[in-house]
Amino acid sequence: MELSEEQKRFGSAIHAFSREQYGSVAQRDAVTQGGTLSNSPQILAELAKLGWLGVSLPAEYGGGGAGFVDECVFLEESSRGLLPVTGYSTGLTAAQTYLRWGSEEQKNVIVSNLVAGRLEAIALSEPGAGSDLGGVRVRASRDGDTYVIEGQKTWTSAAHVAEHLLVLAREDSGGTKHEGLTLLMVPTDTPGLTIRGIDTMEAHTVNDVFFTDVRVPASAVVGRPLHAWKQLMRGLSVERLIIAAMSLGAARRSLDDVIAYVGQREQFGRRIGSFQAIRHRIADLATDVEFARAFLYDAAGRVDAGQEDALARESAMAKMRCTEIAKNTALEAMQMMGGYGYAREYGMEGQVRKALAPPIYGGTNEIQREIIAKSLL
C-alpha cells in the first residue's frame, strides 16, 4: 500500500530527529550509560513530548487514535534511527491484549503509561516453556479475593523497566494444556516479585522473573479467568507485525550505512562501490528490503481494515522474512565493510548483534514456518 502524505511526513520527522539528535554512537552512548541500556528514559521522554508514542492506541484512553500503519511507520523509522527504546514495542504488544480483553481501568493505565514513555512488559516464557507456551507451570491460585502467584518466568523483555507485567499463569490443570490459563496484571513493585537481568550479546534487555507468594487482587485478571490462551492469540499476531516493522527499519539502516560506506571507501584506486561484486550484493539487499516493506504495510493496512483476526499466516510470514532479511543485511554489510564493519565506531557490529535475536524471540522462525504450513496443508 502507498503511505499517505501525512504518514510520509511523520516518517521523515522521526528520521530527522533520529539522525540529528542521536545519529552517532557517541550521542547514543551519552543517554544509555555507554551503550549498556537498551532503553533511554531521556529519549522516551522526548518522544512522549513530541506525541509520537502510542500513535495507534485509542484516543479514548489517551492514545494518538491513528492506525496501525502509522504505528509501523514509527517502529520502522525509530529502529532505522537506532533509537534505544526497544521496550516500547514490548509494551505495545502487551497493550493489544489489554485493549481487547482488559477492564476500562486497565486500558486507561496501560495506554497512559505508554503514551507518557513509561513501559510495560509481558511475561510468557518459562525455563520449560518457550515455543510451547501451553506448557507454562507458573501457578496462580485463588485465595478469596486475591490470587497467589508462584514460579519463574524467563526471557522477559523490559521487565526491569516496566510498570506492570502481563503474566500468563496456570490456574487449573484439569483440562488440556491450553485450558486453565489466566492472565494477570502484576505491578513490578509487588512484594515477592524479583527481577534478575540475563547477560546477553546486547545491552540489558531480558530478565528472569521470580514469583514467591506474590499476591494480587482478583481485579488483576485480564479478561476471563481460565481463558487466557484465546485472549493471547490476537496480541501475538500483532506482535509479529511489530517485530517485522522494527526488523524492516534495522535492515534499512544496515543498507543505508553500507551504501554510504562503499560510496566513499577506495581500494585499488577506485571506490569499492564501483566493483560489480559489491554492486550486485547491494542490489539484492535493496530488493529484499523493498519486497519486505511492501508486504508489511499491506498486512498493517489490513489490521486497520479490521481484518487482523485473519492475519495469522501473513503476520507469521512478515515476522519470519523481515527478521531474516534484517539479519542477512547486517551480516552482508559487515562483510562489505571489512574490518570497519567489526569496529564499534562504525555501528555495524551493533546492528549485527541486534539482528541475531529477532528470528528467535516472538515465536521462533521455525514456529512461524509451522503456522504458515498449517494454513496451507
Side-chain angles (χ1 to χ4, degrees):
M1 63 167 290
E2 180 69 19
L3 297 181
S4 68
E5 290 303 315
E6 183 178 0
Q7 288 165 338
K8 290 177 182 177
R9 287 193 296 271
F10 181 44
S12 295
I14 302 165
H15 180 63
F17 170 84
S18 303
R19 183 184 65 248
E20 294 165 8
Q21 302 296 321
Y22 301 103
S24 71
V25 172
Q27 286 173 311
R28 294 189 294 275
D29 278 355
V31 293
T32 58
Q33 296 182 14
T36 61
L37 302 180
S38 58
N39 293 282
S40 165
Q42 177 178 321
I43 296 179
L44 284 164
E46 291 173 2
L47 294 173
K49 187 175 180 179
L50 288 165
W52 293 347
L53 299 181
V55 63
S56 69
L57 301 180
E60 62 191 289
Y61 302 115
F68 193 67
V69 169
D70 300 75
E71 194 70 69
C72 284
V73 170
F74 174 79
L75 293 166
E76 178 189 356
E77 289 295 346
S78 60
S79 182
R80 181 187 180 194
L82 303 180
L83 295 182
V85 293
T86 57
Y88 171 74
S89 64
T90 303
L92 191 63
T93 298
Q96 309 309 311
T97 298
Y98 285 111
L99 288 171
R100 177 65 70 90
W101 305 102
S103 66
E104 292 299 300
E105 180 182 358
Q106 289 169 343
K107 294 174 186 177
N108 275 304
V109 168
I110 296 302
V111 174
S112 63
N113 278 347
L114 289 174
V115 170
R118 297 187 294 271
L119 303 178
E120 297 291 335
I122 182 167
L124 303 179
S125 296
E126 299 179 8
S131 295
D132 181 16
L133 281 182
V136 298
R137 300 177 66 182
V138 164
R139 296 289 306 181
S141 305
R142 187 69 182 261
D143 182 15
D145 292 333
T146 65
Y147 276 89
V148 182
I149 309 172
E150 299 278 353
Q152 178 188 351
K153 294 291 184 181
T154 193
W155 303 116
T156 308
S157 297
H160 60 299
V161 289
E163 300 282 314
H164 305 86
L165 301 179
L166 179 62
V167 179
L168 178 65
R170 183 164 299 284
E171 186 175 350
D172 179 42
S173 301
T176 69
K177 67 179 182 179
H178 293 145
E179 297 174 330
L181 299 171
T182 297
L183 286 170
L184 296 156
M185 180 179 176
V186 182
T188 51
D189 61 358
T190 304
L193 191 155
T194 302
I195 298 171
R196 187 179 304 157
I198 300 173
D199 289 334
T200 67
M201 296 173 68
E202 294 187 64
H204 186 183
T205 302
V206 292
N207 308 270
D208 283 316
V209 182
F210 301 90
F211 301 85
T212 305
D213 194 33
V214 172
R215 293 176 177 267
V216 293
S219 60
V221 172
V222 179
R224 296 170 59 195
L226 309 175
H227 289 77
W229 188 257
K230 177 182 177 182
Q231 294 167 188
L232 274 176
M233 290 305 100
R234 190 259 181 176
L236 295 181
S237 290
V238 177
E239 178 191 29
R240 296 177 195 129
L241 295 180
I242 291 170
I243 295 170
M246 296 173 66
S247 294
L248 173 63
R252 289 187 66 196
R253 178 55 181 260
S254 295
L255 183 61
D256 290 343
D257 287 356
V258 74
I259 288 173
Y261 179 84
V262 302
Q264 297 176 353
R265 175 69 168 166
E266 291 189 3
Q267 289 286 277
F268 306 104
R270 54 194 282 203
R271 290 181 297 105
I272 65 173
S274 67
F275 291 104
Q276 187 180 70
I278 296 293
R279 294 168 66 83
H280 286 189
R281 290 166 89 171
I282 294 287
D284 285 342
L285 296 178
T287 300
D288 285 344
V289 168
E290 288 305 313
F291 268 74
R293 196 164 195 264
F295 190 92
L296 170 69
Y297 279 101
D298 178 72
R302 292 175 63 186
V303 172
D304 288 340
Q307 301 173 20
E308 79 248 30
D309 289 338
L311 277 177
R313 179 173 66 193
E314 287 79 2
S315 66
M317 288 176 171
K319 191 271 182 183
M320 177 187 72
R321 189 57 71 217
C322 286
T323 58
E324 292 181 351
I325 286 172
K327 181 172 74 172
N328 182 60
T329 303
L331 288 169
E332 283 285 281
M334 174 179 275
Q335 182 69 23
M336 285 185 274
M337 291 173 69
Y340 293 103
Y342 201 66
R344 190 167 185 271
E345 175 187 357
Y346 283 77
M348 192 57 67
E349 61 82 29
Q351 286 156 242
V352 168
R353 285 187 285 108
K354 290 178 182 176
L356 297 178
I360 299 171
Y361 66 61
T364 66
N365 283 1
E366 289 74 18
I367 292 295
Q368 305 311 317
R369 288 180 169 88
E370 275 298 299
I371 293 170
I372 295 163
K374 284 180 181 178
S375 73
L376 297 171
L377 300 173

